Amino acid sequence: MAAFVPALSLAARPTLSRSALCGAAVSAAVAPAPSAVSMSDLSPSVPFLPKPKNLSEDMVGYTGFDPLGLSNLVDIKWLQESEIKHGRVCMLAVAGILAQEFVHLPDPRYANPLATEALNQVPSAALWQIFLFCGLAEFVLHKGKISYVDMFSDGAVPGELGFNPMNLKISDDMKLKEIKN
């Protein structure tokens, strides 16, 4: 085994001078110690990222999840509103896909039960009609304030669009279920 270990001559051996040792000791004394990061400064959902500064812990459904830092760029109420709205649209879309299996308009163009094929059979004017209705509803429900800069300037609350025909009491538990859906 000793035959495979090359022998080092004393001249080839690296040595440390006194100045190198003194320099290392001085730099260790001057260098700042690494700061300790407490768990309260880290995001609860992504513990290796810092806690988002613009997310309030008293928001319904708070998990501290903002890995892209979008809350630093856009109003958090606008982000919460769009999250709730997209969830509601998806729930309506699933109901529409299921209802389409059984309910049809009288024209054969609207009678295809497969949603993926039905989209290509519907005339483009009908799709534009849906698109314009959604834009008009958005404009009316937000009283003409549709950008994130002014949508919540009058104290509006995300998710409360002023449309509650049955006067239901919406508890924080129901809001949490809607956000986590």
Side-chain angles (χ1 to χ4, degrees), residues 122-137:
V122 175
S124 63
L127 295 176
W128 277 107
Q129 179 184 10
I130 293 169
F131 180 72
L132 290 174
F133 172 76
C134 291
L136 180 65

Side-chain angles (χ1 to χ4, degrees), residues 1-180:
M1 186 74 168
F4 297 108
V5 177
L8 289 176
S9 68
L10 291 176
R13 210 179 283 173
T15 58
L16 291 175
S17 65
R18 271 191 232 154
S19 61
L21 289 175
C22 290
V26 168
S27 67
V30 173
S35 61
V37 177
S38 68
M39 288 303 288
S40 64
D41 296 337
L42 297 176
S43 171
S45 62
V46 188
F48 54 87
L49 292 177
K51 183 188 288 188
K53 295 176 184 163
N54 295 330
L55 292 183
S56 173
E57 291 184 19
D58 61 346
M59 287 174 33
V60 176
Y62 171 79
T63 59
F65 186 78
D66 187 17
L68 299 178
L70 294 177
S71 63
N72 297 331
L73 305 172
V74 182
D75 184 14
I76 188 64
K77 289 182 178 180
W78 189 79
L79 293 172
Q80 190 176 22
E81 171 78 20
S82 57
E83 181 75 20
I84 292 168
K85 194 177 298 179
H86 285 108
R88 290 176 182 171
V89 167
C90 290
M91 288 186 276
L92 286 173
V94 168
I97 288 172
L98 296 175
Q100 174 178 325
E101 294 283 332
F102 307 107
V103 180
H104 305 289
L105 293 173
D107 193 337
R109 293 181 291 182
Y110 304 111
N112 194 337
L114 296 174
T116 54
E117 293 177 7
L119 181 65
N120 295 327
Q121 287 180 310
V122 175
S124 63
L127 295 176
W128 277 107
Q129 179 184 10
I130 293 169
F131 180 72
L132 290 174
F133 172 76
C134 291
L136 180 65
E138 185 93 9
F139 187 79
V140 170
L141 289 174
H142 289 296
K143 302 174 188 105
K145 300 177 181 179
I146 56 173
S147 72
Y148 68 88
V149 176
D150 63 351
M151 186 181 286
F152 298 99
S153 61
D154 60 351
V157 177
E160 295 180 10
L161 300 176
F163 180 74
N164 189 0
M166 298 171 58
N167 291 326
L168 297 173
K169 298 287 182 185
I170 314 268
S171 65
D172 283 345
D173 185 48
M174 288 305 291
K175 289 180 182 179
L176 178 65
K177 287 178 182 178
E178 182 180 30
I179 288 174
K180 290 195 170 190

